[in-house]
Amino acid sequence: MTKQRYFFTILILGSLTALGPFSIDMYLPGFPAIARSFHTTTAQVSLSLSSFFVGISVGQLLYGPLLDRFGRKKPLYVGLTLYIITSIGCYFSTSIEMLILLRFIQAVGSCAAGVASMAMVRDIFPVKDNAKIFAFLILILGASPMIAPTVGGYVTAVWSWHIIFIILTGLAVLILLAVIFGLPESYKPDPTYSLKPKPIVNSFLLVFKEPQFYTYALTGSFAFAGLFVYVSGSPLVFMEVFKVSSKTFGWIFAGLSIGFIGSSQVNNLLLKKFKSEQIIFAALAVQLITTLIFIVGAINGWFGLAGTIFMIFILLCCVGTTSPNASALSLAPFAKNAGTASALMGAMQLGLGALASFSVSFFDSRSAVPMAGIMMGSTLIAFFILVIGRRMIKQPVESSGGVVVGH
């Protein structure tokens, strides 16, 4: 693969990975405007975000088997087309219930992009390079929280929240064209792969029984749930509690994303001296300490706007370090059924994220306490899973330091 081809392949895969997050981040500044438009509350509008997370989680399990049966590109075409149609539908929504339903279907379409990109990393690049490639994808992925909420804030202020979904439609069309003309088919269709329910369930069970998979997939999922809590709770905390404008919220969201992006790239430097397992343990320990301080401070009113931003920044740095290593270690043992493994990992990650996001909507608290508390709880669970699960892995497949051992 030439350097130019290498660059464009990662760029397209990164765009696919970023489609879902872009769909989330761009409309966040519009929450108050959407609430006013449908004569409802911001907490009610956040259910459209929760339904999106649920849709991605469900869709992961749908597309995983399809990617292994029909190759990577055909299911990707179907998903992107579904996304384009439902994005147009969101523009014409006439009620919050309609928007919640359409966001669910839109998510089912978008998750084809996320599952396919993860599986194609495993297809195209050597296992030893996967953690680095995932870090590069996170760099591209990180552009969404920098660009999307800022654009969404200005679009909402100048025009209306409806225009956001027209922009998302245009982006999906461009990505679909890039996939058609610029991305190779990385996996030969397997006609022997059964799409009957029982074999599919057995395939998922086979993947989940791998100790390395369930240890790092669950650890990464619970750690990553803190990011979903932040995304879901931030419009209420910043725009309702601290009374910042939609434009200012967009800039705050963009600034905080620097922690997530920067830490994922620092991870590349850390991989030269440390193993992925060591990095995950250290990052989770820092994340646990941070969330404990955050919840205690939120309860006692220690943090104003600046303090809250700082605590979330540290949390995002930890998540950005943990995520690429957990993803690489989860998928490392698999080759033939990487699509199924990728789908199951994504479903776990997004399912737990949806649950965490949904739990935030139950609290109409005028403080950051609910957000900080759920962040702390999910991080604590992730840490315990990591400590216990590592003991179950007898022959690890490593993806750091340029060495692959084990299977």
Side-chain angles (χ1 to χ4, degrees):
M1 186 182 295
T2 64
K3 289 184 178 180
Q4 186 177 23
R5 185 70 174 177
Y6 184 90
F7 171 77
F8 280 110
T9 298
I10 293 179
L11 183 62
I12 296 173
L13 292 175
S15 299
L16 288 168
T17 306
L19 181 61
F22 219 87
S23 306
I24 295 166
D25 299 334
M26 183 172 280
Y27 93 130
L28 293 179
F31 270 30
I34 296 173
R36 290 192 298 270
S37 178
F38 294 137
H39 307 290
T40 186
T41 64
T42 301
Q44 187 74 12
V45 174
S46 71
L47 291 177
S48 66
L49 180 60
S50 299
S51 71
F52 191 91
F53 289 149
V54 173
I56 294 181
S57 179
V58 171
Q60 299 275 333
L61 300 177
L62 171 67
Y63 287 109
L66 294 177
L67 290 167
D68 285 337
R69 172 64 178 82
F70 298 107
R72 309 308 191 206
K73 295 187 72 172
K74 289 182 180 179
L76 192 49
Y77 296 155
V78 174
L80 288 173
T81 301
L82 179 62
Y83 178 91
I84 291 168
I85 293 171
T86 49
S87 294
I88 295 172
C90 288
Y91 173 83
F92 290 105
S93 294
T94 55
S95 68
I96 186 60
E97 291 79 14
M98 182 178 178
L99 181 63
I100 290 171
L101 176 61
L102 285 171
R103 287 285 286 174
F104 171 82
I105 303 172
Q106 183 191 40
V108 173
S110 74
C111 74
V115 177
S117 62
M118 296 286 281
M120 293 178 87
V121 169
R122 184 64 181 83
D123 295 338
I124 298 172
F125 303 98
V127 175
K128 65 184 178 64
D129 292 337
N130 281 183
K132 295 179 182 179
I133 301 300
F134 283 128
F136 283 129
L137 292 186
I138 287 179
L139 177 61
I140 299 174
L141 178 78
S144 68
M146 291 186 69
I147 299 172
T150 306
V151 172
Y154 279 93
V155 168
T156 301
V158 177
W159 292 291
S160 74
W161 63 267
H162 299 83
I163 303 300
I164 291 171
F165 291 100
I166 295 299
I167 296 174
L168 291 175
T169 302
L171 289 174
V173 170
L174 292 176
I175 292 172
L176 177 59
L177 292 173
V179 169
I180 294 173
F181 298 108
L183 203 60
E185 175 57 80
S186 63
Y187 187 83
K188 185 178 179 180
D190 183 3
T192 65
Y193 192 98
S194 176
L195 294 179
K196 294 180 179 180
K198 186 175 180 180
I200 290 176
V201 172
N202 288 337
S203 295
F204 283 123
L205 288 175
L206 183 64
V207 169
F208 191 77
K209 287 179 180 178
E210 167 61 48
Q212 180 162 329
F213 176 83
Y214 66 67
T215 295
Y216 290 107
L218 283 172
T219 296
S221 296
F222 275 102
F224 208 68
L227 178 64
F228 288 89
V229 174
Y230 156 64
V231 171
S232 182
S234 59
L236 176 64
V237 170
F238 289 120
M239 289 191 283
E240 299 291 333
V241 176
F242 293 114
K243 305 298 181 182
V244 304
S245 67
S246 61
K247 292 181 181 180
T248 303
F249 171 74
W251 284 110
I252 291 173
F253 205 92
L256 283 170
S257 68
I258 294 174
F260 185 74
I261 303 168
S263 60
S264 68
Q265 300 314 299
V266 170
N267 180 64
N268 280 339
L269 299 177
L270 294 175
L271 283 169
K272 295 179 180 179
K273 295 185 177 181
F274 304 100
K275 295 180 180 181
S276 290
E277 297 95 321
Q278 295 172 311
I279 297 173
I280 290 175
F281 185 86
L284 262 184
V286 174
Q287 184 173 329
L288 181 57
I289 294 170
T290 301
T291 55
L292 285 170
I293 295 173
F294 191 18
I295 182 62
V296 172
I299 291 173
N300 291 283
W302 294 348
F303 304 119
L305 177 60
T308 300
I309 291 173
F310 177 76
M311 297 307 296
I312 294 174
F313 180 83
I314 300 300
L315 172 77
L316 295 181
C317 287
C318 295
V319 173
T321 304
T322 301
S323 183
N325 291 292
S327 297
L329 287 169
S330 298
L331 298 181
F334 306 101
K336 181 180 179 181
N337 52 352
T340 300
S342 174
L344 184 56
M345 180 182 68
M348 291 163 59
Q349 185 180 85
L350 293 160
L352 287 169
L355 182 62
S357 169
F358 187 67
S359 64
V360 174
S361 66
F362 279 104
F363 300 96
D364 195 19
S365 174
R366 296 298 171 179
S367 73
V369 172
M371 183 170 70
I374 299 170
M375 286 177 173
M376 187 272 292
S378 63
T379 304
L380 185 62
I381 294 172
F383 191 78
F384 277 119
I385 290 173
L386 178 63
V387 172
I388 297 172
R390 289 199 304 181
R391 300 174 183 176
M392 308 293 182
I393 304 172
K394 297 180 180 179
Q395 193 177 21
V397 181
E398 299 177 6
S399 59
S400 61
V403 180
V404 181
V405 299
H407 297 45

